[in-house]
Amino acid sequence: MWGVIFLRHRLLAGVSTPRRMRLYNTLTRQEEPFTPLRGRTARMYTCGLTVYARGHIGNFRTFVALDVLRRTLKHVAGFDVRQVMNFTDVDDRTIVESRAAAVPLRQYTDRFIAAFGEDAASLGLESVEAYPRATDEENLRSMVEMIQALESNGHTYRSDGSVYFRIATLPAYGKLARLDHDGMKPGARVDSDRYDKDDARDFVLWKATTAEEPTWDFGVGPGRPGWHIECSAMAHRLLDGSPIDIHAGGVDLVFPHHENEIAQAEGATGRTFSRFWVHVEHLLLDEGAKMSKSLGNVFTVPDVLERGYRASALRYALLSVHYRKQLRFTWGGLDQAEEALKRITACLARLEALRGGAAHAEVAARVETARRDFDDRLAHDLNVPGGLGVLFELVRYVNTAIDAGELGRPDVAIVRAAFDGFDRVLGVIALRQAEETLADVPVDEIERLIAERRAARARRDFAAADGIRDDLDARGILLEDTPAGTRWQRK
Ligand code: AMP
Ligand code: ZN
């Protein structure tokens, strides 16, 4: 008896025991137990968008997967998270595109940073603790400091005003990408930010000024940073030094970007740069091609929304395949995601409509098992498909129990608390509900409320008037008072 009561209280309060987290580490090619190095806070760096165009849904596959990692660290493993996600707002591509558009670099990249904010909000990405831009002065200065440390440690040389990293000075170079040292070309160097594994060479840390490129001079000569130094320096600066706990991005970044980041940070500090390296597999097009801006075969979040799909369905589709497996993007796949989401929301709606009946010990036991299993799946290298399997088993059970009259009103709260718990990690149900709230305010209701607000103001009941405005605001309707009367628009 008391056991059942305690269980119900625990389930209602949403309390669950933190799970031991296991994560696949690209560095060791193994799953390893994860705990933060310092206290309870996981310090994580995510390579963010190169803002030369609006991010595509391939980029967002990585960002959604890493959002699930962030939420799992918090809500399943019970850690705090300090996460940094940068914007690469100076590199080969941003420079070329801003010149082509004849817009100053900073102004050019501003618009794609704003677009990222919109898409991230549509997809329910949690805000991270810092979004540094490479061209912020304090970041440029920290890059220069790291280059100076590399110079004094003997890892660099200069040529024509540029500074290069000499890979032969670091025997560990290649440990992440598992490069074959025999294939490396000592002395040969590469200036471009992106190149292949076969082309492992000395790479540029600071590029000498040219007439076409923006330039800064903070101590290693006039020029601009190479792409790789940006992330090493920003991670170091904003996550309180090495080693950080987790460094993450898409698989295309393993080489050269992350290999070079390790070389720079470890060459400068003599300490391990990141304990864990997490890489998300690619989103592919149906035909198997990688979705990439440079190939021109991309869809953005607004492209998907224009076809009538909800962002919540896109988020579901992006997270439903394990992050270490490639995901083929199809419109049919989005339809399936939509169906899956509807099954969840329909079950929740049935629960809400339930009246009467008694509490059932069986329900509490089922919910307890589902919550435990869900957390176990997620803690095991983010097994989201496994977690969704557990969630849908609970959906099936709930539907059957309602049909059989074996689930009563007193059981509803604990079932709902379980779905809330799943959704703290998945972030799809709340997103769908927010979309419906926004979409659902009919025009005549808005106009009726505006009239009520006018009446409230006329009788000087400003509290009521403000209440109506705030309520509409929360439902996505923005009011603007003009001399001609109140106008409204959907946010
Ligand atoms: P970029 O803007 O190219 O620097 O990429 C931003 C992030 O998106 C990086 O973590 C990339 O690895 C990732 N990314 C790029 N293309 C894809 C793709 N097709 N699927 C998944 N992730 C991708
Ligand atoms: Zn990076």
Side-chain angles (χ1 to χ4, degrees):
M1 175 64 188
W2 287 111
V4 174
I5 291 173
F6 279 132
L7 176 60
R8 296 179 69 83
H9 272 290
R10 198 149 47 78
L11 294 174
L12 273 176
V15 181
S16 52
T17 330
R19 289 302 189 282
R20 284 212 178 106
M21 185 87 201
R22 293 182 69 77
L23 265 184
Y24 183 85
N25 187 351
T26 310
L27 199 58
T28 56
R29 307 290 195 272
Q30 275 176 20
E31 269 175 25
E32 294 173 37
F34 173 81
T35 47
L37 184 67
R38 300 185 196 150
R40 303 291 300 163
T41 304
R43 292 169 304 125
M44 169 155 79
Y45 186 89
T46 311
C47 288
L49 209 57
T50 305
V51 277
Y52 73 104
R54 191 174 196 121
H56 56 73
I57 58 174
N59 301 133
F60 281 99
R61 187 218 178 169
T62 291
F63 300 143
V64 167
L66 298 177
D67 181 62
V68 171
L69 170 57
R70 171 189 172 86
R71 290 161 177 258
T72 302
L73 287 167
K74 283 164 55 175
H75 303 299
V76 176
F79 301 129
D80 296 325
V81 173
R82 172 161 176 81
Q83 187 179 359
V84 175
M85 185 194 264
N86 72 298
F87 291 112
T88 301
D89 65 352
V90 54
D91 81 321
D92 295 350
R93 297 187 296 182
T94 43
I95 292 172
V96 167
E97 295 301 325
S98 69
R99 277 179 62 81
V103 176
L105 183 66
R106 182 95 182 180
Q107 213 176 314
Y108 181 77
T109 55
D110 273 347
R111 62 178 85 155
F112 301 116
I113 290 176
F116 170 85
E118 288 166 22
D119 296 344
S122 305
L123 287 172
L125 300 185
E126 281 190 358
S127 290
V128 306
E129 285 63 30
Y131 292 100
R133 294 175 71 154
T135 63
D136 286 340
E137 185 174 325
E138 62 269 41
N139 292 326
L140 288 162
R141 286 188 184 279
S142 69
M143 293 166 210
V144 166
E145 272 166 30
M146 190 170 267
I147 294 171
Q148 286 167 333
L150 286 169
E151 285 191 315
S152 50
N153 291 348
H155 290 299
T156 64
Y157 58 92
R158 289 183 183 241
S159 176
D160 297 331
S162 294
V163 188
Y164 295 88
F165 188 100
R166 194 190 297 280
I167 59 177
T169 61
L170 200 75
Y173 187 81
K175 67 179 174 183
L176 180 71
R178 308 243 160 136
L179 295 187
D180 171 10
H181 278 254
D182 296 341
M184 293 183 195
K185 306 172 184 73
R189 55 179 180 263
V190 54
D191 279 296
S192 56
D193 284 332
R194 291 173 199 246
Y195 53 94
D196 295 331
K197 225 164 152 171
D198 310 334
D199 224 14
R201 293 166 190 233
D202 295 345
F203 58 91
V204 70
L205 298 164
W206 192 261
K207 295 193 194 194
T209 300
T210 65
E212 297 81 36
E213 302 210 335
T215 181
W216 295 273
D217 190 356
F218 290 128
V220 287
R224 59 100 168 167
W227 172 36
H228 317 298
I229 194 73
E230 299 176 15
C231 287
S232 300
M234 289 189 282
H236 209 261
R237 186 171 88 79
L238 291 155
L239 291 170
D240 304 324
S242 305
I244 64 169
D245 291 310
I246 301 175
H247 195 120
V251 277
D252 55 311
L253 300 188
V254 173
F255 190 86
H257 186 52
H258 288 164
E259 193 67 58
N260 292 353
E261 278 195 50
I262 293 176
Q264 296 161 152
E266 300 192 354
T269 65
R271 301 170 60 177
T272 301
F273 177 35
S274 179
R275 301 163 59 229
F276 281 75
W277 288 84
V278 171
H279 291 103
V280 181
E281 259 299 346
H282 276 150
L283 180 78
L284 304 178
L285 286 179
D286 209 8
E287 316 84 66
K290 178 191 159 198
M291 185 175 289
S292 109
K293 282 177 279 198
S294 44
L295 296 175
N297 57 357
V298 302
F299 292 108
T300 62
V301 173
D303 291 337
V304 172
L305 302 185
E306 266 163 37
R307 299 240 188 162
Y309 290 96
R310 302 277 188 87
S312 50
L314 178 58
R315 179 178 170 101
Y316 187 102
L318 293 177
L319 60 68
S320 60
V321 171
H322 190 262
Y323 78 94
R324 288 202 291 118
K325 290 215 169 84
Q326 293 183 334
L327 165 57
R328 274 173 198 252
F329 174 75
T330 61
W331 299 108
L334 270 183
D335 291 328
Q336 282 170 12
E338 177 63 31
E339 284 311 309
L341 255 177
K342 284 205 175 111
R343 263 169 60 212
I344 303 172
T345 48
C347 175
L348 291 174
R350 284 191 80 189
L351 272 177
E352 289 314 315
L354 207 62
R355 297 280 170 268
H360 297 75
E362 157 87 2
V363 175
R366 285 291 196 126
V367 165
E368 162 87 340
T369 309
R371 291 179 60 145
R372 195 192 54 222
D373 290 352
F374 180 90
D375 284 356
D376 286 346
R377 301 293 186 281
L378 268 292
H380 188 177
D381 196 30
L382 306 180
N383 180 2
V384 176
L388 287 170
V390 171
L391 180 152
F392 280 107
E393 254 173 54
L394 190 64
V395 166
R396 257 189 307 277
Y397 166 73
V398 166
N399 283 329
T400 318
I402 293 177
D403 292 341
E406 287 165 3
L407 200 151
R409 183 74 214 167
D411 297 316
V412 168
I414 56 169
V415 179
R416 206 174 39 210
F419 280 97
D420 288 347
F422 302 152
D423 202 49
R424 272 195 285 278
V425 174
L426 300 173
V428 286
I429 303 172
L431 189 60
R432 169 56 54 102
Q433 282 162 351
E435 287 164 354
E436 298 200 327
T437 321
L438 292 189
D440 266 348
V441 194
V443 173
D444 40 353
E445 186 181 347
I446 298 170
E447 282 171 354
R448 181 175 55 74
L449 287 168
I450 289 177
E452 267 178 35
R453 178 166 168 266
R454 195 170 341 118
R457 291 171 124 197
R459 60 173 193 274
R460 307 191 67 76
D461 185 353
F462 296 112
D466 289 348
I468 293 173
R469 193 200 47 222
D470 293 347
D471 181 42
L472 279 170
D473 189 81
R475 297 169 74 191
I477 307 297
L478 212 60
L479 300 189
E480 193 198 346
D481 294 315
T482 73
T486 302
R487 283 202 299 230
W488 63 270
Q489 62 180 47
R490 294 188 198 271
K491 279 197 238 171

